[in-house]
Amino acid sequence: MKEKLNSKPVKVIVVAILLVVLFFMGRAVHHEYIMHQVRDSYAEGQPYHTVEECFNDFLANPEWHYKKDNGYDIVYVKGTCMYSDQEVEVIQEFVVKDESWKTSNLYMDGKIVNDLLAAAFRLVVFDTQYDNPQYDNQRNNEYTCPHCGWYGSI
Protein backbone atom coordinates (compact mmCIF):
# COMPACT_ATOMS: atom_id res chain seq x y z
CA MET A 1 0.00 0.00 0.00
CA LYS A 2 2.85 2.37 0.84
CA GLU A 3 4.29 1.94 -2.66
CA LYS A 4 1.04 3.17 -4.26
CA LEU A 5 1.07 6.38 -2.24
CA ASN A 6 4.67 7.07 -3.19
CA SER A 7 4.11 6.47 -6.88
CA LYS A 8 4.85 9.31 -9.27
CA PRO A 9 1.32 9.56 -10.80
CA VAL A 10 -0.26 10.00 -7.34
CA LYS A 11 2.21 12.75 -6.45
CA VAL A 12 1.53 14.53 -9.75
CA ILE A 13 -2.23 14.38 -9.16
CA VAL A 14 -1.87 15.71 -5.59
CA VAL A 15 0.35 18.58 -6.77
CA ALA A 16 -2.07 19.38 -9.60
CA ILE A 17 -5.02 19.48 -7.18
CA LEU A 18 -3.11 21.76 -4.81
CA LEU A 19 -2.22 24.13 -7.67
CA VAL A 20 -5.84 24.32 -8.79
CA VAL A 21 -7.00 25.05 -5.24
CA LEU A 22 -4.35 27.75 -4.80
CA PHE A 23 -5.26 29.29 -8.16
CA PHE A 24 -8.94 29.64 -7.25
CA MET A 25 -8.15 30.88 -3.75
CA GLY A 26 -5.90 33.55 -5.25
CA ARG A 27 -8.62 34.66 -7.65
CA ALA A 28 -11.17 34.90 -4.83
CA VAL A 29 -8.80 37.03 -2.76
CA HIS A 30 -8.16 39.29 -5.78
CA HIS A 31 -11.92 39.69 -6.39
CA GLU A 32 -12.55 40.61 -2.75
CA TYR A 33 -9.68 43.12 -2.81
CA ILE A 34 -11.08 44.79 -5.94
CA MET A 35 -14.60 44.89 -4.49
CA HIS A 36 -13.40 46.48 -1.26
CA GLN A 37 -11.46 49.05 -3.25
CA VAL A 38 -14.82 50.43 -4.41
CA ARG A 39 -17.02 49.63 -1.42
CA ASP A 40 -14.70 51.09 1.23
CA SER A 41 -13.86 54.30 -0.63
CA TYR A 42 -15.63 57.66 -0.66
CA ALA A 43 -17.23 59.19 -3.73
CA GLU A 44 -16.30 62.69 -4.77
CA GLY A 45 -18.51 65.10 -2.87
CA GLN A 46 -19.49 62.52 -0.24
CA PRO A 47 -16.89 62.61 2.53
CA TYR A 48 -19.12 61.18 5.25
CA HIS A 49 -20.20 57.77 4.00
CA THR A 50 -18.50 55.05 1.97
CA VAL A 51 -19.78 54.03 -1.43
CA GLU A 52 -21.11 50.85 0.14
CA GLU A 53 -22.98 52.75 2.87
CA CYS A 54 -24.57 55.08 0.33
CA PHE A 55 -25.80 52.32 -1.98
CA ASN A 56 -26.81 50.01 0.87
CA ASP A 57 -28.89 52.85 2.35
CA PHE A 58 -30.51 53.72 -0.97
CA LEU A 59 -31.21 50.32 -2.53
CA ALA A 60 -33.40 47.57 -1.17
CA ASN A 61 -31.63 44.20 -0.98
CA PRO A 62 -28.26 45.39 -2.33
CA GLU A 63 -25.88 42.72 -3.58
CA TRP A 64 -22.23 43.42 -4.46
CA HIS A 65 -20.52 41.44 -7.22
CA TYR A 66 -17.32 41.26 -9.26
CA LYS A 67 -16.80 40.36 -12.91
CA LYS A 68 -14.10 40.67 -15.52
CA ASP A 69 -15.27 42.25 -18.80
CA ASN A 70 -12.99 42.85 -21.81
CA GLY A 71 -9.97 42.81 -19.52
CA TYR A 72 -11.46 45.31 -17.05
CA ASP A 73 -12.26 44.65 -13.40
CA ILE A 74 -15.92 45.53 -12.87
CA VAL A 75 -17.59 45.82 -9.48
CA TYR A 76 -21.35 46.22 -9.52
CA VAL A 77 -24.12 46.65 -7.02
CA LYS A 78 -27.57 45.31 -7.75
CA GLY A 79 -30.76 46.15 -5.86
CA THR A 80 -34.18 47.71 -6.18
CA CYS A 81 -35.54 51.20 -5.64
CA MET A 82 -38.58 53.24 -6.56
CA TYR A 83 -38.58 55.22 -9.79
CA SER A 84 -41.70 57.06 -11.01
CA ASP A 85 -43.85 55.19 -8.48
CA GLN A 86 -42.63 51.79 -9.70
CA GLU A 87 -40.09 49.42 -8.21
CA VAL A 88 -37.17 48.90 -10.60
CA GLU A 89 -34.10 46.68 -10.47
CA VAL A 90 -30.95 48.77 -10.63
CA ILE A 91 -27.40 47.73 -11.45
CA GLN A 92 -24.63 50.29 -11.03
CA GLU A 93 -21.24 49.31 -12.46
CA PHE A 94 -17.84 50.62 -11.37
CA VAL A 95 -14.74 50.16 -13.53
CA VAL A 96 -11.58 49.58 -11.46
CA LYS A 97 -8.16 50.42 -12.86
CA ASP A 98 -4.98 50.32 -10.79
CA GLU A 99 -5.91 51.87 -7.43
CA SER A 100 -8.85 53.97 -8.62
CA TRP A 101 -12.38 53.47 -9.92
CA LYS A 102 -15.05 55.37 -11.79
CA THR A 103 -18.76 54.87 -12.17
CA SER A 104 -19.77 53.22 -15.39
CA ASN A 105 -23.06 51.95 -16.79
CA LEU A 106 -26.32 52.17 -14.90
CA TYR A 107 -29.07 49.69 -15.76
CA MET A 108 -32.74 49.83 -14.84
CA ASP A 109 -34.72 46.65 -15.35
CA GLY A 110 -31.92 45.33 -17.56
CA LYS A 111 -31.74 48.36 -19.87
CA ILE A 112 -28.86 50.83 -19.87
CA VAL A 113 -30.01 54.35 -19.02
CA ASN A 114 -28.78 57.59 -20.55
CA ASP A 115 -26.03 59.63 -18.93
CA LEU A 116 -28.38 62.32 -17.61
CA LEU A 117 -30.58 59.86 -15.73
CA ALA A 118 -27.49 57.99 -14.47
CA ALA A 119 -25.99 61.25 -13.16
CA ALA A 120 -29.28 62.13 -11.44
CA PHE A 121 -29.41 58.70 -9.83
CA ARG A 122 -25.86 59.05 -8.49
CA LEU A 123 -26.61 62.57 -7.27
CA VAL A 124 -29.43 61.19 -5.13
CA VAL A 125 -27.42 58.18 -3.90
CA PHE A 126 -24.44 60.31 -2.87
CA ASP A 127 -26.48 63.32 -1.73
CA THR A 128 -24.73 64.97 1.19
CA GLN A 129 -27.59 67.16 2.36
CA TYR A 130 -28.73 64.31 4.62
CA ASP A 131 -25.53 64.65 6.60
CA ASN A 132 -26.78 68.05 7.68
CA PRO A 133 -28.68 67.77 11.02
CA GLN A 134 -31.51 69.99 9.74
CA TYR A 135 -32.44 67.21 7.28
CA ASP A 136 -32.31 64.31 9.75
CA ASN A 137 -36.09 64.03 9.83
CA GLN A 138 -36.15 63.38 6.05
CA ARG A 139 -33.86 60.34 6.13
CA ASN A 140 -35.65 57.14 5.02
CA ASN A 141 -38.46 59.13 3.43
CA GLU A 142 -39.43 59.75 -0.16
CA TYR A 143 -37.18 62.18 -2.00
CA THR A 144 -37.41 64.14 -5.24
CA CYS A 145 -34.18 65.55 -6.63
CA PRO A 146 -34.56 69.34 -7.00
CA HIS A 147 -32.25 69.33 -10.04
CA CYS A 148 -33.78 66.66 -12.25
CA GLY A 149 -36.97 65.36 -10.66
CA TRP A 150 -35.62 61.88 -9.81
CA TYR A 151 -38.06 60.37 -7.38
CA GLY A 152 -37.01 57.59 -5.08
CA SER A 153 -36.99 56.18 -1.59
CA ILE A 154 -34.08 57.23 0.55
Side-chain angles (χ1 to χ4, degrees), residues 56-82:
N56 287 357
D57 283 349
F58 187 78
L59 297 176
N61 305 314
E63 299 173 8
W64 290 85
H65 302 277
Y66 168 88
K67 67 180 179 179
K68 193 92 166 167
D69 190 21
N70 292 327
Y72 293 99
D73 291 312
I74 308 288
V75 173
Y76 64 96
V77 60
K78 176 176 154 180
T80 58
C81 68
M82 296 301 292

Side-chain angles (χ1 to χ4, degrees), residues 2-3 22 25 34 65 81 83 96 100 103 112 139 142:
K2 200 169 193 178
E3 284 182 28
L22 289 174
M25 285 178 55
I34 296 294
H65 302 277
C81 68
Y83 176 65
V96 181
S100 63
T103 55
I112 195 165
R139 196 70 173 151
E142 301 303 314

Side-chain angles (χ1 to χ4, degrees), residues 14-57:
V14 169
V15 168
I17 291 171
L18 287 174
L19 288 174
V20 168
V21 168
L22 289 174
F23 172 77
F24 283 108
M25 285 178 55
R27 286 182 55 159
V29 168
H30 173 74
H31 296 173
E32 282 298 315
Y33 172 76
I34 296 294
M35 285 180 34
H36 281 287
Q37 227 177 312
V38 174
R39 293 164 60 172
D40 296 342
S41 63
Y42 295 86
E44 186 177 328
Q46 176 45 280
Y48 305 108
H49 301 287
T50 64
V51 171
E52 181 177 29
E53 289 171 333
C54 291
F55 276 93
N56 287 357
D57 283 349

